[in-house]
């Protein structure tokens, strides 16, 4: 999955150590309220158990600059998501925002998601800016959810549903609902299939195909 600034790529063994290092740094303070001292093995175990999935955020020269993650909620097709840019010099350059767009495309447009949920602390200016302009629906406030710098901070829960994602794709310039296979190729494949049905005498299958 490739955008203008970054791509989302599969994690290697070395990448899990990178994520673990970021989790123990200021990066995790912004996303979670405090450092999370997780080992690379613990992260791998979470993936193995299906509790969380990770993709690396990479610039187009291959440099790993962050990660996105998603995990299941109560029902199939419902996910909680998160993201972090590990390179502090890129925090305000749009890399995280584009990575989130790529992740939304993956979940809704490739994995048939119905609901994507995000919980963020009101101490995190970058993430609040993304939500304020990202089309998410604010669902509620979690009082005193994070503890940071000697005081409690509220968090907010936001979500985006499948129909809202596609409505947003029609009106935004974020590159949502980007297709992998061009529309022309799909149309040509269907034309060739119908010609094959006519040529082989299997026209009765047209009813199945034309059921839409």
């Amino acid at each position: 999955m490739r955008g203008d600034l970054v791509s989302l790529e599969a994690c290697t063994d070395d990448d899990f150590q990178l994520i673990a290092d970021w989790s123990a740094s200021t990066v995790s303070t912004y996303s979670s309220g405090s450092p999370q001292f997780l080992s690379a093995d613990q992260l791998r175990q979470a993936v193995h158990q299906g509790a969380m999935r990770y993709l690396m955020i990479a610039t187009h020269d291959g440099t790993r600059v962050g990660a996105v993650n998603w995990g299941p909620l109560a029902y199939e097709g419902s996910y909680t998501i998160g993201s972090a840019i590990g390179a502090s010099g890129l925090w305000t350059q749009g890399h995280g925002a584009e990575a989130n767009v790529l992740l939304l495309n993956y979940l809704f447009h490739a994995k048939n998601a119905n609901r994507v949920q995000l919980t963020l602390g009101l101490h995190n200016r970058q993430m609040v800016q993304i939500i304020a302009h990202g089309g998410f629906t604010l669902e509620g406030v979690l009082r005193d959810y994070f503890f940071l710098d000697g005081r409690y901070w509220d968090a907010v829960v936001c979500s985006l549903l499948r129909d809202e994602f596609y409505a947003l794709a029609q009106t935004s310039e974020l590159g949502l609902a980007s297709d992998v296979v061009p529309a022309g190729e799909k149309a040509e494949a269907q034309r060739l299939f119908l010609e094959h049905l006519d040529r082989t005498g299997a026209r009765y299958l047209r009813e199945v195909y034309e059921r839409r």
Side-chain angles (χ1 to χ4, degrees), residues 11 14-24 43 54-56 67:
C11 290
D14 290 340
D15 289 330
F16 284 110
Q17 185 58 57
L18 259 181
I19 297 172
D21 292 343
W22 291 331
S23 295
L43 293 170
Y54 293 90
L55 288 172
M56 298 303 293

Side-chain angles (χ1 to χ4, degrees), residues 16-40 42-43 54 69 123 145-148:
F16 284 110
Q17 185 58 57
L18 259 181
I19 297 172
D21 292 343
W22 291 331
S23 295
S25 72
T26 306
V27 174
S28 184
T29 299
Y30 275 99
S31 60
S32 303
S34 63
Q36 306 295 307
F37 296 102
L38 301 171
S39 69
Q42 286 174 311
L43 293 170
Y54 293 90
N69 62 71
H123 61 277
Y145 191 81
F146 290 112
F147 188 78
L148 172 70

Side-chain angles (χ1 to χ4, degrees), residues 170-191:
Q170 296 293 321
T171 59
S172 74
E173 299 179 357
L174 296 175
L176 294 173
S178 299
D179 290 342
V180 176
V181 179
E185 289 187 24
K186 296 172 187 170
E188 178 65 6
Q190 293 169 76
R191 184 188 67 79

Side-chain angles (χ1 to χ4, degrees), residues 6 10 17 24 39-40 62 100 112 149 153-154 163 175 191 208:
V6 298
Q17 185 58 57
S39 69
N100 278 287
N112 200 26
D149 292 338
W153 297 83
D154 292 346
D163 58 344
R191 184 188 67 79
V208 177

Side-chain angles (χ1 to χ4, degrees), residues 10-200:
C11 290
T12 66
D13 284 342
D14 290 340
D15 289 330
F16 284 110
Q17 185 58 57
L18 259 181
I19 297 172
D21 292 343
W22 291 331
S23 295
S25 72
T26 306
V27 174
S28 184
T29 299
Y30 275 99
S31 60
S32 303
S34 63
Q36 306 295 307
F37 296 102
L38 301 171
S39 69
D41 286 341
Q42 286 174 311
L43 293 170
R44 292 189 194 93
Q45 186 67 14
V47 171
H48 179 72
Q49 294 174 343
M52 194 61 68
R53 295 284 186 269
Y54 293 90
L55 288 172
M56 298 303 293
I57 304 171
T59 56
H60 296 324
D61 64 1
T63 303
R64 267 47 174 155
V65 297
V68 296
N69 62 71
W70 70 99
L73 292 172
Y75 299 98
E76 184 70 25
S78 295
Y79 301 98
T80 179
I81 65 170
S83 63
I85 296 296
S88 60
L90 301 179
W91 282 354
T92 61
Q93 304 302 310
H95 295 70
E98 185 175 77
N100 278 287
V101 167
L102 293 174
L103 179 58
L104 290 175
N105 270 309
Y106 176 66
L107 294 176
F108 283 113
H109 207 48
K111 299 296 288 182
N112 200 26
N114 183 62
R115 172 189 171 88
V116 168
Q117 175 179 305
L118 181 62
T119 302
L120 60 99
L122 292 181
H123 61 277
N124 190 338
R125 178 175 58 85
Q126 286 83 11
M127 287 304 298
V128 171
Q129 286 179 327
I130 291 174
I131 294 304
H133 299 93
F136 278 71
T137 296
L138 177 62
E139 294 189 336
V141 175
L142 305 176
R143 298 180 300 164
D144 288 0
Y145 191 81
F146 290 112
F147 188 78
L148 172 70
D149 292 338
R151 59 162 287 190
Y152 285 99
W153 297 83
D154 292 346
V156 295
V157 178
C158 306
S159 72
L160 188 66
L161 302 183
R162 183 174 181 80
D163 58 344
E164 295 168 344
F165 169 81
Y166 283 104
L168 186 63
Q170 296 293 321
T171 59
S172 74
E173 299 179 357
L174 296 175
L176 294 173
S178 299
D179 290 342
V180 176
V181 179
E185 289 187 24
K186 296 172 187 170
E188 178 65 6
Q190 293 169 76
R191 184 188 67 79
L192 292 171
F193 175 67
L194 291 174
E195 286 183 356
H196 173 73
L197 293 183
D198 292 341
R199 187 171 57 253
T200 59

